[in-house]
Amino acid sequence: MSRVVRILPDEPAVDRDFDYLLPDVLSDSPGCPPIRVGTLVRVDLRGRRIRGWITAVDVDPLPGVDLQEIKKVSSCGPPPAVVDLAAWAGSRWMGSRVHYLRTATHDRVVSSIPDLTHRPHAVSPENKLAEEAFLRRGAVVRTPPNSDDFSLAVAAASYGRALILTPTLARSQRLATTMRRAGIEVAVFPRDWGASAAGAVTIGARSAAWAPVDNLDAVLVLDEHDESYQQESAPTWHARDVVLERAKRDGARWVIASPTPSLEALTCGAPLLTPDRAAERAGWSIFDVIDLRDEPPLAGSWCSETLSRVLRDNQKVVCVLNRKGRARFAYCQQCGELARSEITGRALGLDGNRLVHPVDGDDRPAVCQSCSSTKFRRVKLGVTGVAEELEQIARRPVGEVSSDSEPLATEFDLYVGTEAVLHRIERANVVVFLDFDQELLAPRYRAAEQAMSLLVQASRVVGRREDGGRVLIQTRIPQHPVLEAARTADPGSLARTELRIRRELRQPPEAHWAIISGSAATEFVRSIGNPEGLEILGPSNDRWRIRSVDREHLVAALKSVDRPPGRLRIEIDPLRA
């Protein structure tokens, strides 16, 4: 007799289950993958043959309903726990289960799960802080930028089935190589999907949050602050939240590690563990803050006297400028002071003889608050233009790097580029941020955290304090909390300041946001109405913002509305709002 199984078709727009008959001839055939929740099959749906995942087996069929037969049992899929997790994620981030199950599924056919012949060796962690963190069963660890991932990874692996996340796949592969040399069986997701499903210690980037390793014993998230852990396309799920939910369900120990933990991590209820003050300070680089207000306030001036000396020293220098076009800021030509709002303190741009903010709508006459001058200048800085001027100043060739540029075939001693250059160049003597104010004063609620993340990456490029590497920061607001935290190697001071501001402004993690955009956004928001507990703002730049202190209430309100025809994008707590 045929069994009845429930199938979720691989169609995000459908996102509902259908019952099918599973003929015995399929399930009993040689080489057939095991029939369980998560197994992939091929079925006919609306005249098309598509794949799908089994979501329930041995279902009682509805009387009087003729069911179609499954055409093929294709491959092993994610374990039942991950299938159930996809339903949880669909509720949390307003997305179809299909999006998550696609991430959890191998792109090739897996007919069986291999036996793991080499269990991870019991390697004792040498780092006492790492050992203590996992003994707590749940902890946030603040590590210096130039600390070693290996001790934390070994501590996780010593408990058995471990899932370790890193910001990039390249970093996962390096860590996996080091751990294999220590005798630990490691699977790099998604390449080693089968070994992960068999229970090997699994390492990977964002997508590894959905790795098929079952019954987890330990979870580790390295550089939790990194924005790459959040999916950019909707649904905007976050890998940290996914693996912490997995740890909770499996009763696994978990550790979040970062030089500058996010406020979401710091407010999750787990204890914060830090190394002793001397060790943490030694793991940071030397930061020199250059106050551009002390430099001659020339139009377009970007090269301070300190930078000029550095360029003449023939060291390996990396210059960072996160802009290709025109600056949004204006500076007083008389005293060099940055034009800022009298109400919010945010940077203003020059529009004719007015100082304006592109988002807030702040608008006032172009009069300097410091010296009352009415003469302002825009700063026109772009990577290509700076590269041309750098060659003239330094009298040596300059390598230009951006996210869309091809890998350089030639090694240079002097580079300029967007923040991508910090990921392309492994080592330098000096990293220079030519205009850090655009990071500090960006019109985003997480601007300070994002700026601190850049300084962490720069510190890794130049090395530890004892190595002599330096990070130069050109700014007109040297007293900013981000710069104070970097100079003193105390990211905790920034976290305390930011948390206080977020509470006052009701920003995440103190409240939750949904960003609604697309051609159907206006109709969708209008259908929501004005329910109690929701604050609807906008539209601004063709986007609506809905805020609530209760995430579940926010998601429930969004789900209660039928999606209108047209393009609609819903982002829950996006990092760059």
Side-chain angles (χ1 to χ4, degrees), residues 536-558:
I536 300 178
L537 307 172
S540 176
N541 295 327
D542 298 324
R543 303 198 309 170
W544 296 81
R545 187 190 308 270
I546 304 177
R547 177 165 56 189
S548 174
V549 295
D550 187 336
R551 184 188 183 114
E552 292 184 1
H553 178 60
L554 172 64
V555 172
L558 296 175

Side-chain angles (χ1 to χ4, degrees), residues 26 61 99 124 152 167 258 298 329 338 375 407 413 440 466 531 556 561:
L26 288 182
H99 290 293
S124 300
L152 283 166
S258 170
L298 301 177
F329 304 141
L338 179 69
K375 295 182 179 180
D413 288 329
L440 298 175
E466 62 188 21
V561 178

Side-chain angles (χ1 to χ4, degrees), residues 501-538:
I501 294 174
R502 302 274 185 91
R503 283 173 176 163
E504 293 174 354
L505 298 179
R506 297 176 60 223
Q507 295 174 337
E510 295 301 311
H512 299 280
W513 286 349
I515 307 299
I516 316 297
S517 60
S519 58
T522 300
E523 183 178 349
F524 180 81
V525 172
R526 187 182 299 116
S527 300
I528 294 175
N530 190 26
E532 186 178 354
L534 294 187
E535 181 182 4
I536 300 178
L537 307 172

Side-chain angles (χ1 to χ4, degrees), residues 410-487:
T410 306
E411 282 286 327
F412 294 87
D413 288 329
L414 179 57
Y415 293 89
V416 62
T418 62
E419 66 180 271
V421 72
L422 297 176
H423 300 276
R424 299 273 188 92
I425 308 302
E426 293 186 1
R427 187 62 61 184
N429 301 108
V430 182
V431 169
V432 184
F433 288 94
L434 298 178
D435 181 12
F436 206 60
D437 291 348
Q438 70 174 60
E439 312 298 339
L440 298 175
L441 300 172
R444 300 185 294 267
Y445 79 97
R446 297 186 73 252
E449 285 186 292
Q450 292 160 353
M452 195 67 182
S453 177
L454 288 176
L455 298 184
V456 166
Q457 188 60 35
S459 182
R460 287 173 173 162
V461 172
V462 301
R464 299 167 62 87
R465 186 177 297 268
E466 62 188 21
D467 298 332
R470 309 182 77 87
V471 179
L472 304 184
I473 305 170
Q474 297 190 148
T475 178
R476 283 180 167 81
I477 42 176
Q479 74 284 359
H480 196 282
V482 169
L483 303 181
E484 291 293 332
R487 279 189 297 213

Side-chain angles (χ1 to χ4, degrees), residues 37 115 319 332 360 414 466 525:
V37 172
D115 291 330
C319 298
C332 174
D360 293 349
L414 179 57
E466 62 188 21
V525 172

Side-chain angles (χ1 to χ4, degrees), residues 243-296:
V243 296
L244 290 188
E245 179 66 18
R246 293 186 68 173
K248 175 184 174 182
R249 293 178 176 214
D250 291 346
R253 303 168 187 269
W254 60 268
V255 168
I256 291 173
S258 170
T260 172
S262 68
L263 295 187
E264 286 77 8
L266 293 174
T267 56
C268 71
L272 172 65
L273 305 182
T274 62
D276 65 75
R277 194 71 190 95
E280 183 172 24
R281 182 176 175 81
W284 285 78
S285 306
I286 300 172
F287 288 85
D288 292 330
V289 177
I290 303 168
D291 190 348
L292 291 180
R293 295 176 300 179
D294 297 333
E295 302 290 328

Side-chain angles (χ1 to χ4, degrees), residues 293-497:
R293 295 176 300 179
D294 297 333
E295 302 290 328
L298 301 177
S301 176
W302 56 266
C303 186
S304 63
E305 287 294 329
T306 303
L307 176 55
S308 297
R309 290 193 297 269
V310 169
L311 295 175
R312 292 193 294 266
D313 288 342
N314 292 321
Q315 303 179 80
K316 188 169 183 178
V317 181
V318 172
C319 298
V320 183
L321 180 64
N322 253 343
R323 182 173 57 244
K324 297 180 181 179
R326 170 179 288 187
R328 65 169 62 93
F329 304 141
Y331 301 99
C332 174
Q333 184 179 356
Q334 185 69 30
C335 69
E337 188 71 25
L338 179 69
R340 302 174 72 173
S341 168
E342 297 175 342
I343 301 173
T344 65
R346 293 176 174 172
L348 303 177
L350 186 63
D351 185 5
N353 61 351
R354 310 289 296 181
L355 295 173
V356 300
H357 191 280
V359 176
D360 293 349
D362 202 331
D363 186 334
R364 66 178 177 84
V367 178
C368 179
Q369 293 175 286
S370 296
C371 68
S372 300
S373 172
T374 58
K375 295 182 179 180
F376 284 84
R377 296 292 180 91
R378 298 186 185 94
V379 176
K380 298 179 181 179
L381 284 178
V383 169
T384 301
V386 168
E388 295 172 354
E389 293 190 27
L390 268 179
E391 287 192 348
Q392 298 177 4
I393 296 172
R395 297 180 182 178
R396 48 178 166 154
V398 176
E400 185 178 339
V401 178
S402 63
S403 59
D404 53 359
S405 62
E406 296 293 331
L408 297 174
T410 306
E411 282 286 327
F412 294 87
D413 288 329
L414 179 57
Y415 293 89
V416 62
T418 62
E419 66 180 271
V421 72
L422 297 176
H423 300 276
R424 299 273 188 92
I425 308 302
E426 293 186 1
R427 187 62 61 184
N429 301 108
V430 182
V431 169
V432 184
F433 288 94
L434 298 178
D435 181 12
F436 206 60
D437 291 348
Q438 70 174 60
E439 312 298 339
L440 298 175
L441 300 172
R444 300 185 294 267
Y445 79 97
R446 297 186 73 252
E449 285 186 292
Q450 292 160 353
M452 195 67 182
S453 177
L454 288 176
L455 298 184
V456 166
Q457 188 60 35
S459 182
R460 287 173 173 162
V461 172
V462 301
R464 299 167 62 87
R465 186 177 297 268
E466 62 188 21
D467 298 332
R470 309 182 77 87
V471 179
L472 304 184
I473 305 170
Q474 297 190 148
T475 178
R476 283 180 167 81
I477 42 176
Q479 74 284 359
H480 196 282
V482 169
L483 303 181
E484 291 293 332
R487 279 189 297 213
T488 59
D490 181 19
S493 63
L494 173 64
R496 291 187 292 272
T497 301

